[in-house]
Amino acid sequence: MFKISILIPTFKRPVLVLEAIASCLDQTYLPFEIIISDDSPDDRTAQAVEELKRGTHISIIYLHNKPGLGQIGNTNRLFETAQGDLILLLHDDDALLPIALDSLVKLFAADPDLDIAFGKQYIMTETGEVSPSRSEYFNTSYFRSAAYEGTVLTSLEAGMGQQFPNNGYLMKREIVEAIQFRAYGFDAELGNGCEYDFGLRIGIAGYKMYFLNQYLVKYRVARNSMSSSLTDDSGYQSFRILRNFIADTRFGEAIRHQRLRERAPIAITQAVNTGRRKDAFTIFCSEWYRSKILTIPGLKRLGYMCLVKSKL
């Protein structure tokens, strides 16, 4: 019997975090504990969680950070607090499907050498509506399809290509005792790229991963999410890291090239938004974007680089 700690970092989302917690309590394999670490400046989330605790026998631990610790400190505090054998990180605006823990635990029971397991993510709107077609496209682009089920990709390839997701994975607790979120890496500040850096370093470390070709998580794409923020630089950071990365594995270089081509457009835009205009021009003229320069999107992006001021 595995003891599972579900970890939820949150910030000013008292309604959505309750939905996330509710999905954890609705599991066919119940967690050992649910830990919420809250960076909110007010007590609305604290009050909401306190009400929820009265209706369950599952241990719900609430941590309030005053002042806030930021994404890195908030997440690492959760890693340090967890007491379960296995841990699952869940964003405060996402949700688990009822079979998620049960499906993943069975993989660990079948293979004692397994370190990490994860499945597919449904894409849902701000109001919680799931888009099957968008979800299938999203997962396929991240190598989450039948062709890659199991351990087809190496851990390095899974981390680099983001088959390893940004949340909803189940892993042995000792992994986060060795590898945590960090603010600086690959010779520069990581900005919003700390999640990508975390997954890539886990891949580099060689932990055994298993991809289950089954939907287990609902991933919310909302207007106020980090990925839609004008100050977000996660796409730029992953491009920056991969640009000089060497992946000497069977699929490594092909995955790296694919990601660089996909990331180049958003990397250019985010570089401009965050005050890295010189690097934006470098990416624009690189082999990863050069073929698009004379297209309509390319010319629009050139105008954006020349005319738009940094959002910082």
Side-chain angles (χ1 to χ4, degrees):
M1 187 80 173
F2 293 98
K3 292 183 177 180
I4 298 177
S5 299
I6 298 180
L7 314 179
I8 307 176
T10 189
F11 176 67
K12 296 172 67 173
R13 284 176 172 157
V15 175
L16 291 179
V17 75
L18 289 186
E19 293 180 16
I21 297 169
S23 77
C24 301
L25 295 173
D26 194 33
Q27 293 297 299
T28 55
Y29 185 107
L30 290 173
F32 163 68
E33 63 182 0
I34 302 169
I35 310 175
I36 302 98
S37 185
D38 183 15
D39 259 13
S40 304
D42 55 48
D43 293 323
R44 289 185 302 156
T45 300
Q47 294 167 3
V49 171
E50 191 60 37
E51 285 292 324
L52 192 63
K53 287 170 66 174
R54 298 193 182 108
T56 180
H57 67 281
I58 301 297
S59 174
I60 298 179
I61 300 168
Y62 175 78
L63 309 172
H64 202 172
N65 307 313
K66 290 186 177 181
L69 302 176
Q71 181 184 14
I72 294 170
N74 200 4
T75 304
N76 286 342
R77 187 181 186 191
L78 286 165
F79 288 160
E80 292 162 1
T81 305
Q83 296 298 309
D85 311 308
L86 303 172
I87 67 165
L88 185 144
L89 182 71
L90 184 67
H91 290 167
D92 62 355
D93 58 344
D94 294 343
L96 299 177
L97 297 183
I99 58 168
L101 295 187
D102 191 37
S103 299
L104 295 174
V105 160
K106 285 177 180 176
L107 298 175
F108 282 88
D111 182 1
D113 294 326
L114 186 63
D115 297 308
I116 303 167
F118 51 88
K120 298 165 77 170
Q121 297 172 310
Y122 276 124
I123 297 296
M124 64 176 171
T125 64
E126 193 167 7
T127 58
E129 182 180 354
V130 168
S131 170
S133 59
R134 190 178 179 190
S135 299
E136 198 60 30
Y137 176 81
F138 173 82
N139 284 280
T140 299
S141 69
Y142 287 111
F143 310 99
R144 300 178 205 145
S145 63
Y148 294 99
E149 184 163 25
T151 57
V152 175
L153 297 184
T154 67
S155 57
L156 173 61
E157 292 163 349
M160 181 178 63
Q162 293 175 275
Q163 184 192 55
F164 174 74
N166 56 359
N167 80 139
Y169 45 79
L170 191 64
M171 64 168 59
K172 292 178 177 176
R173 193 182 76 207
E174 50 261 39
I175 294 174
V176 297
E177 293 174 348
I179 300 177
Q180 297 195 346
F181 277 32
R182 64 181 183 176
Y184 187 93
F186 296 98
D187 302 319
E189 296 293 332
L190 288 166
N192 298 130
C194 57
E195 284 185 334
Y196 182 76
D197 170 77
F198 176 70
L200 180 57
R201 285 188 292 129
I202 285 177
I204 292 171
Y207 292 106
K208 186 176 182 180
M209 299 185 187
Y210 191 103
F211 161 62
L212 181 65
N213 186 40
Q214 184 176 341
Y215 282 103
L216 301 178
V217 180
K218 291 194 288 186
Y219 178 70
R220 192 183 308 266
V221 178
R223 285 175 295 179
N224 64 342
S225 66
M226 179 60 71
S227 59
S228 62
S229 169
L230 290 175
T231 59
D232 178 32
D233 69 346
S234 55
Y236 166 78
Q237 291 289 352
S238 60
F239 183 94
R240 177 187 67 79
I241 292 168
L242 285 179
R243 183 165 45 188
N244 299 315
F245 194 78
I246 297 174
D248 188 18
T249 61
R250 180 185 176 190
F251 300 114
E253 277 304 290
I255 292 173
R256 187 178 78 91
H257 287 201
Q258 178 180 330
R259 281 287 168 265
L260 285 168
R261 287 191 296 270
E262 292 171 349
R263 289 286 183 276
I266 189 63
I268 293 167
T269 300
Q270 291 183 351
V272 173
N273 290 345
T274 56
R276 303 175 174 105
R277 196 178 305 270
K278 182 178 179 181
D279 208 14
F281 276 99
T282 299
I283 299 169
F284 185 80
C285 298
S286 72
E287 62 180 295
W288 313 113
Y289 194 78
R290 195 176 300 140
S291 64
K292 300 177 183 177
I293 288 177
L294 297 180
T295 65
I296 292 176
L299 294 174
K300 287 183 177 179
R301 193 156 272 109
L302 177 61
Y304 191 86
M305 289 192 296
C306 294
L307 300 175
V308 174
K309 294 182 179 179
S310 168
K311 301 300 186 295
L312 294 184

